[in-house]
C-alpha cells in the first residue's frame, strides 16, 4: 500500500463520496470515446477491459465493439456452443449487459442469462462453462462476466473466459482488443445490433439457473458434512456483491449455521467502510474495507467476505482478525494437502511470483512441487483443467482448487469455496486458519511481507517492465548474497513484466501496474521488520537508478 492513509479509511462512507448513479448511467450512453486518445481505447488488462463512464473509458461504444469482436473471435475459432453471460452489482453492469446482449442476439449467438435477473459470480460462470464442456470436443461453450471486480462503484468491467473456463490469455485478449479498437475507429461500422427487447425475446437467448447448478455441486469440493457436524457458526458479508443471494441458499441446502450479516445491494455501496485511499472499494483483503466484519469477529467461529464478483476472499478469524491473504493461502495449502486423500501426489501447487515464500517452505515439507508464474490467474487455468495443478493462489486473495476427487472445479478464482474452506478447516482441525498459520510460523519462521506503490510515468513503467539481470549490478541484497535474479517465471518461463531478486531469507519483485501510473514493489523477509525495510529501501534505489 502507498504510505498516505486517508482520514476516512475504515469509517462508514460519507454521503459526499457516493456516486450519482443516474449521471453515471447517462454518461455510459451519451459519452463517446475518442480512439485517438490512448486511455479511451479498449484495453484488456490482467482481467478484461475496465474503466469509468465519466472518463470515457467504459461506455456503450466500448461494449458494442468488444461484443462484436468476441462474436468474430468465436466464429474464427469455431466456438459454437452457448455463451454464459453473468453480471455483478456495479451500476454500469446492467447497461453493459443490455448492450452486449443486443450484439450477441443480432449475431445469433446462444446466450445463457441468469434466471430472475440474478447476479452471477465469476466462479459460477467458470463452473458453468466447464460443466457444459465436460466430455465434449466440439460445440464448446465460453463466457463473459461483466464486472470490474472489487473496483470503486463508478467503474465498469468486461471479462472474457474462453472454453477452458478461465480468464482469457494474452493472445486472445490482444486479438479482441485490436478488433474492438478497429470498430471504434470506424464509428462502429460492422457492429450488428438489434433492440434490447428483441434481444431479450430472441430464440437464442436462454434462461439458466446458475445459482442452483453451482450450489448443488459445492458438496463435491468442500466437506460440508464436517462443517455441519461441528456446528461451526459462520458469518458472511457479500459486500453487496454478485453472490449476495447465494449464501442463504448454501446455508439451507447444506444445513449450515451461516448468517449473512449484510444482504443489501446498492450501486452506491453506501454500506461500505472506506478503503485506505478514501475511495469505496469492495476489497475483502483490506482491513479498512472489512472494518465492519472485523468488528463482528467474536460473534462467529469464522467469518468471511467476498468481493463484488465473488472471485476473491477475505477470512476473519477469532484468533487474529482479518488474515493477510498470504497467511491464508499457506494455511489452506497445508490443510488441503493433508485432507484430500484422493488428490494426486504428482500434481503441483500454483503460486504467483509475488506470493509469500512461506508457500514454498510449506509445500517442500509436504513433498510437493511449486509452479510459480507471473501475476494473473490466467496462467493457472490450463493446469487446473488438466489436473496438473490442484491448488492455485495469488497474493491478492484469489484462489481455486480441485474437487474432493482431484478433478477440476473452476479454472478461475473462486472466493466462495475459499471462504467455505476456512469453515471446513476450523471444523476438522478444531483450530481456525489464523491458529493454523501460527503453527506454520513456529516451524518455518515468521514472514514479514509488504507491498508499496510508487508513482511512475509511462516511460518509466516501460523501463521496469523490461528490467533484466544485466541491469542489476549488485551481488548483495540487504546484507545477504543474491541467489537469483529473475525476469521470467520459473514455472512456465513467461516474462514477469519486471524483475524478482531473491536471497536465502528475503526477496523483492518490482513490476508496473497495468491500469495506473504507478509501479509496485513486493518484498518479504524472514529475518524481521528491519531487514524487510532494508530490502524495500535498496529495491527502490535500484529501480530509481534505472530511471
Amino acid at each position: 500500500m502507498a504510505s498516505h492513509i486517508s482520514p476516512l479509511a475504515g469509517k462508514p462512507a460519507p454521503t459526499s463520496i457516493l456516486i450519482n448513479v443516474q449521471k453515471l448511467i447517462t454518461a455510459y450512453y451519451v459519452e463517446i470515446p475518442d480512439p485517438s486518445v490512448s486511455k479511451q481505447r479498449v484495453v484488456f488488462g490482467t482481467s478484461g477491459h475496465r474503466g469509468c463512464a465519466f472518463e470515457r473509458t467504459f461506455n456503450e461504444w466500448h461494449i458494442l465493439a468488444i461484443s462484436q469482436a468476441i462474436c468474430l473471435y468465436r466464429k474464427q475459432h469455431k466456438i459454437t456452443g452457448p455463451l454464459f453471460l453473468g453480471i455483478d452489482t456495479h451500476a454500469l453492469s446492467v447497461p453493459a449487459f443490455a448492450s452486449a446482449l443486443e450484439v450477441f442476439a443480432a449475431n445469433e449467438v446462444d446466450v445463457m442469462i441468469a434466471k430472475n435477473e440474478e447476479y452471477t459470480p465469476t466462479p459460477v460462470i467458470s463452473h458453468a462453462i466447464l460443466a457444459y464442456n465436460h466430455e465434449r470436443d466440439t460445440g464448446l461453450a465460453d463466457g463473459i462476466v461483466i464486472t470490474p471486480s472489487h473496483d470503486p462503484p463508478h467503474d465498469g468491467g468486461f471479462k472474457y473466459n474462453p472454453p477452458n473456463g478461465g480468464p482469457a490469455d494474452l493472445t486472445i485478449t490482444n486479438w479482441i482488443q485490436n478488433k474492438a479498437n478497429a470498430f471504434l475507429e470506424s464509428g462502429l461500422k460492422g457492429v450488428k445490433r438489434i433492440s434490447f427487447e428483441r434481444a431479450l425475446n430472441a430464440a437464442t437467448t436462454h434462461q439458466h439457473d446458475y445459482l442452483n447448478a453451482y450450489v448443488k455441486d459445492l458438496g463435491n469440493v468442500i466437506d460440508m458434512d464436517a462443517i455441519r457436524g461441528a456446528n461451526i457458526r459462520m458469518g458472511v458479508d457479500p459486500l453487496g456483491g454478485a453472490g449476495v443471494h447465494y449464501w442463504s441458499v448454501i446455508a439451507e441446502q447444506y444445513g449450515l449455521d451461516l448468517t449473512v450479516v449484510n444482504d443489501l445491494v446498492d450501486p452506491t455501496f453506501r454500506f461500505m467502510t472506506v478503503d485506505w485511499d478514501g475511495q469505496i472499494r469492495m476489497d475483502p483483503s483490506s482491513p479498512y474495507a472489512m472494518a465492519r466484519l472485523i468488528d463482528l469477529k467474536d460473534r462467529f467461529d469464522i467469518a468471511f467476505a467476498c468481493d463484488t464478483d465473488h472471485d476473491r476472499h477475505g477470512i476473519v478469524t477469532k484468533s487474529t482478525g482479518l488474515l493477510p491473504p498470504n497467511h491464508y493461502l499457506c494455511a489452506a495449502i497445508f490443510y488441503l494437502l493433508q485432507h484430500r486423500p484422493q488428490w494426486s501426489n504428482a500434481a503441483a501447487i500454483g503460486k504467483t511470483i509475488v506470493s509469500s515464500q512461506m508457500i514454498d517452505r510449506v509445500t517442500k515439507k509436504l513433498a510437493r512441487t511449486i509452479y510459480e508464474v507471473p501475476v494473473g490467474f490466467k496462467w493457472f487455468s490450463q493446469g487446473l483443467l488438466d489436473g496438473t495443478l490442484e491448488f492455485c493462489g495469488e497474493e491478492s486473495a484469489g484462489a481455486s482448487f480441485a474437487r474432493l476427487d482431484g478433478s477440476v472445479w473452476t479454472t478461475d478464482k473462486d472466493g466462495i469455496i475459499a471462504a467455505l474452506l476456512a469453515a471446513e478447516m476450523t471444523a476438522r482441525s478444531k483450530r481456525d486458519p489464523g491458529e493454523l498459520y501460527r503453527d506454520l510460523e513456529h516451524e518455518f519462521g515468521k514472514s514479514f511481507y509488504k507491498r508499496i506503490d510508487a508513482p511512475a510515468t509511462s516511460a518509466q513503467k516501460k523501463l521496469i517492465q523490461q528490467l533484466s539481470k544485466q541491469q542489476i549490478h549488485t551481488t548483495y541484497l540487504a546484507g545477504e548474497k543474491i541467489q537469483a535474479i529473475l525476469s521470467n517465471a520459473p514455472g512456465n518461463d513467461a516474462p514477469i513484466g519486471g524483475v524478482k531478486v531473491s536471497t536465502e531469507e528475503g526477496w523483492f519483485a518490482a513490476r508496473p501496474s497495468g491500469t495506473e501510473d504507478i509501479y509496485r514493489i513486493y518484498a518479504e523477509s524472514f529475518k524481521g521488520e528491519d531487514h524487510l525495510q532494508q530490502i524495500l529501501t535498496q529495491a527502490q534505489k535500484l529501480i530509481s537508478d534505472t530511471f
Side-chain angles (χ1 to χ4, degrees), residues 24 56 67 101 127 135 191 194 220 227 230 235 239 276 287 330 344 347 368 378 413 417 434 442 490 499 521 528 535:
L24 185 69
R56 294 187 187 172
S67 300
L101 194 63
H127 179 270
E135 294 186 338
V191 173
I194 58 176
N220 292 312
I227 303 175
L239 302 179
W276 64 275
C330 295
S344 154
R368 288 299 184 89
K378 57 178 175 277
K413 302 189 284 272
I417 62 165
H442 286 309
V499 70
I521 295 179
I535 294 175

Side-chain angles (χ1 to χ4, degrees), residues 29-103:
Y29 286 109
V30 303
E31 297 287 347
I32 292 177
D34 176 352
S36 70
V37 178
S38 65
K39 279 202 159 140
Q40 294 180 27
R41 291 171 73 80
V42 171
V43 182
F44 268 77
T46 42
S47 239
H49 174 78
R50 290 188 192 175
C52 171
F54 293 135
E55 290 163 16
R56 294 187 187 172
T57 49
F58 191 93
N59 304 88
E60 185 175 41
W61 275 44
H62 292 111
I63 304 311
L64 297 172
I66 296 169
S67 300
Q68 186 63 49
I70 288 171
C71 291
L72 296 180
Y73 177 82
R74 297 181 97 237
K75 198 167 249 175
Q76 193 176 326
H77 292 269
K78 300 186 171 53
I79 301 167
T80 54
L83 183 139
F84 289 93
L85 180 60
I87 66 168
D88 78 358
T89 54
H90 276 79
L92 289 172
S93 297
V94 174
F97 166 80
S99 307
L101 194 63
E102 289 170 5
V103 173

Side-chain angles (χ1 to χ4, degrees), residues 143-425:
I144 284 169
V145 197
I146 301 178
T147 173
S149 189
H150 60 292
D151 283 9
H154 53 60
D155 280 4
F158 201 87
K159 182 179 140 174
Y160 177 63
N161 286 30
N164 73 5
D169 68 29
L170 288 171
T171 1
I172 301 174
T173 53
N174 287 343
W175 194 95
I176 292 169
Q177 173 181 303
N178 296 339
K179 216 53 166 169
N181 284 320
F183 284 129
L184 290 185
E185 284 158 10
S186 71
L188 299 183
K189 196 166 175 257
V191 173
K192 294 183 187 170
R193 170 184 197 190
I194 58 176
S195 75
F196 183 57
E197 192 182 354
R198 275 182 65 202
L200 213 45
N201 296 307
T204 49
T205 301
H206 315 275
Q207 302 259 321
H208 182 70
D209 187 358
Y210 286 105
L211 192 153
N212 284 303
Y214 176 87
V215 170
K216 286 194 169 114
D217 204 10
L218 277 171
N220 292 312
V221 67
I222 297 289
D223 186 345
M224 294 294 194
D225 295 340
I227 303 175
R228 185 176 52 250
N231 295 321
I232 295 286
R233 278 172 312 148
M234 292 164 278
V236 60
D237 189 344
L239 302 179
V244 65
H245 301 136
Y246 278 61
W247 293 102
S248 54
V249 181
I250 292 169
E252 200 174 321
Q253 173 87 27
Y254 296 101
L256 306 180
D257 181 354
L258 186 146
T259 306
V260 179
V261 300
N262 161 32
D263 62 359
L264 292 173
V265 174
D266 178 339
T268 66
F269 293 89
R270 65 178 71 233
F271 44 77
M272 287 296 298
T273 48
V274 179
D275 205 5
W276 64 275
D277 58 353
Q279 291 220 57
I280 295 176
R281 196 181 278 105
M282 288 59 70
D283 178 359
S285 64
S286 160
Y288 304 104
M290 291 278 282
R292 284 211 171 100
L293 191 62
I294 295 167
D295 285 347
L296 298 176
K297 72 181 174 69
D298 295 327
R299 272 181 50 192
F300 305 105
D301 297 313
I302 190 87
F304 32 80
C306 291
D307 68 338
T308 328
D309 67 323
H310 272 50
D311 69 345
R312 295 177 191 224
H313 57 270
I315 309 297
V316 177
T317 64
K318 267 185 166 169
S319 62
T320 42
L322 180 68
L323 263 188
N326 274 314
H327 293 196
Y328 182 58
L329 292 181
C330 295
I333 291 165
F334 188 69
Y335 170 84
L336 283 166
L337 292 183
Q338 296 173 88
H339 291 87
R340 292 294 185 268
Q342 288 176 269
W343 282 15
S344 154
N345 289 330
I349 298 299
K351 66 171 274 209
T352 51
I353 197 110
V354 296
S355 300
S356 174
Q357 222 249 323
M358 181 73 97
I359 294 172
D360 305 57
R361 297 181 178 197
V362 167
T363 310
K364 190 178 174 189
K365 181 191 159 88
L366 297 169
R368 288 299 184 89
T369 320
I370 278 280
Y371 179 72
E372 191 169 352
V373 299
V375 171
F377 213 78
K378 57 178 175 277
W379 303 108
F380 297 132
S381 299
Q382 194 51 45
L384 283 165
L385 186 63
D386 62 27
T388 52
L389 294 173
E390 276 173 341
F391 179 99
C392 298
E394 51 185 20
E395 101 305 332
S396 54
S400 189
F401 47 90
R403 293 166 181 264
L404 297 167
D405 68 2
S407 64
V408 62
W409 169 253
T410 58
T411 48
D412 209 331
K413 302 189 284 272
D414 190 336
I416 298 174
I417 62 165
L420 290 167
L421 178 67
E424 183 195 318
M425 288 160 74

